[in-house]
Amino acid sequence: MQDLNDIALFAAVVKNNGFSAAARDLNIPKSKLSKHVARLEEQLGVRLLERSTRKLRVTEIGRVFYEHAQGLLDGVAAAEAEIATVRGEPSGVVRLGCPLGFTPMLADILPGFHRRYPGVRLLITATNRRLDLIEERFDLALRARNQLDTDNQLIVRKLGEGRERLAASPTLLARLGEITTSNLSDMPTLSMNEQHANDVWRLFHANGGTIEIPHRPVIGCSDFVILQRAAIEGVGIALLPDHICESAFRSGVLAPVLPEWASGDVVVHLVFPSRHGMLPATRALIDYLAENLIKAMERCREIEPKPAMSFDI
């Protein structure tokens, strides 16, 4: 009988496509990981991995062993889930993916999750890249899209709608003077578009109507945290998600710009694989996010401007 720990470490190397990535994922020394895999190969009497200084390749027998090993590990996880259910104490590791723009909101609410479920460990990947939950083995992901995901391999839980608002520092606004839809293109701006020197904001009025604002951003970056900081420092006008604007507006470090105009609604939702025997820890995180993210988005709606009777474009 092989050491289950050795098998799990070998599976981690295959899943992460290398020893270095697996060592970072597991937070253990690469040398220790290599030692365990080498011991497993010695006990089995076969080469599971072909190593070189440039890359790692899984042998044919290594691939077969990995597929069986992963089934074994999934079975162990399911068994632990059953025990955890009986004990009523969610525990274990949950892997969560989320867009960069949602990290400030998660930072506010996740300490409460840890206090409620101290036995659960969270591994959070913050990226704007679309994650493949099945292939990359994520337990769930938070997404904000124009519409709900339609991937039939995933279960979707809608949380609500959000939008983006124009914001700038009061100091910058005092220096720029009156801002209108006609002169906004001439103002210093900040953009999520990190690929091109030019950008276009598509904005919607509270009473209907749409306008496109071409502009040349001073800074283009896909991380809202950088854009928010630049806006606070008076670098330019930014189009920021309302969950970022909310606290900044309340504290006074940012002020609304053309408050009756905003981006179109995006649907905020959770997606997770429809795996049999979901771990209680994953279910606990889904329920917690559904409860607390909805509350946070409701607070954002409280700062919405009242619709005007008319508008000019």
Side-chain angles (χ1 to χ4, degrees):
M1 180 68 68
Q2 307 304 320
D3 189 320
L4 186 60
N5 189 47
D6 290 348
I7 296 175
L9 294 177
F10 161 72
V13 172
V14 176
K15 182 174 64 176
N16 286 277
N17 297 313
F19 283 92
S20 297
R24 289 192 298 269
D25 187 31
L26 299 173
N27 194 27
I28 64 174
K30 179 181 174 182
S31 58
K32 180 179 179 180
L33 189 59
S34 180
K35 179 181 177 181
H36 279 271
V37 174
R39 183 172 67 181
L40 177 62
E41 289 179 320
E42 182 180 354
Q43 291 174 342
L44 292 172
V46 297
R47 177 70 71 179
L48 300 174
L49 303 172
E50 293 289 352
R51 306 163 180 81
S52 72
T53 56
R54 300 184 63 182
K55 67 177 184 177
L56 176 143
R57 184 181 69 84
V58 184
T59 64
E60 184 176 350
I61 189 63
R63 178 62 61 182
V64 172
F65 184 79
Y66 169 75
E67 292 174 356
H68 287 287
Q70 194 59 61
L72 171 64
L73 295 171
D74 288 343
V76 171
E80 291 177 341
E82 293 296 333
I83 294 173
T85 300
V86 173
R87 293 174 59 194
E89 299 174 2
S91 62
V93 177
V94 180
R95 297 191 67 201
L96 167 68
C98 76
L100 290 169
F102 275 85
T103 53
M105 185 180 288
L106 289 178
D108 288 339
I109 67 175
L110 286 182
F113 177 81
H114 177 69
R115 288 190 292 270
R116 186 181 300 182
Y117 303 107
V120 179
R121 293 188 296 134
L122 297 180
L123 299 179
I124 302 171
T125 298
T127 177
N128 290 333
R129 176 176 65 86
R130 183 183 179 89
L131 298 170
D132 187 325
L133 272 66
I134 305 298
E135 182 67 24
E136 300 180 66
R137 303 187 68 79
F138 278 87
D139 296 295
L140 69 155
L142 178 65
R143 289 178 176 169
R145 306 280 169 79
N146 292 330
Q147 59 185 14
L148 292 172
D149 282 85
T150 57
D151 190 332
N152 57 16
Q153 290 185 295
L154 301 176
I155 297 175
V156 178
R157 181 163 179 178
K158 180 180 175 181
L159 302 181
E161 288 85 23
R163 62 186 60 173
E164 297 170 358
R165 304 182 183 283
L166 293 168
S169 73
T171 302
L172 177 65
L173 294 179
R175 188 170 77 246
L176 294 177
E178 182 182 8
I179 297 176
T180 67
T181 55
S182 300
N183 66 13
L184 181 57
S185 294
D186 301 323
M187 301 296 174
T189 59
L190 310 168
S191 171
M192 270 286 287
N193 191 334
E194 60 184 14
Q195 300 296 326
H196 304 286
N198 298 319
D199 192 16
V200 176
W201 283 331
R202 185 176 177 83
L203 304 176
F204 298 82
H205 194 272
N207 279 342
T210 306
I211 190 172
E212 292 187 347
I213 306 292
H215 60 108
R216 292 176 58 85
V218 179
I219 296 177
C221 179
S222 60
D223 189 340
F224 280 120
V225 175
I226 292 178
L227 299 183
Q228 180 197 35
R229 185 64 187 181
I232 291 173
E233 295 295 330
V235 176
I237 300 169
L239 187 64
L240 298 172
D242 50 10
H243 63 264
I244 290 180
C245 292
E246 183 254 346
S247 59
F249 286 169
R250 292 184 190 280
S251 66
V253 295
L254 288 178
V257 178
L258 302 176
E260 293 175 356
W261 294 91
S263 72
D265 282 342
V266 295
V267 183
V268 181
H269 54 288
L270 292 169
V271 293
F272 43 94
S274 54
R275 295 173 182 157
H276 176 69
M278 177 183 288
L279 287 173
T282 303
R283 171 54 61 188
L285 181 59
I286 290 172
D287 292 341
Y288 183 86
L289 292 177
E291 174 188 356
N292 290 277
L293 280 176
I294 289 175
K295 289 180 180 178
M297 286 189 287
E298 288 174 349
R299 288 196 299 272
C300 296
R301 290 293 186 182
E302 292 174 2
I303 64 169
E304 284 198 13
K306 299 298 182 181
M309 296 305 296
S310 63
F311 60 91
D312 297 319
I313 59 173

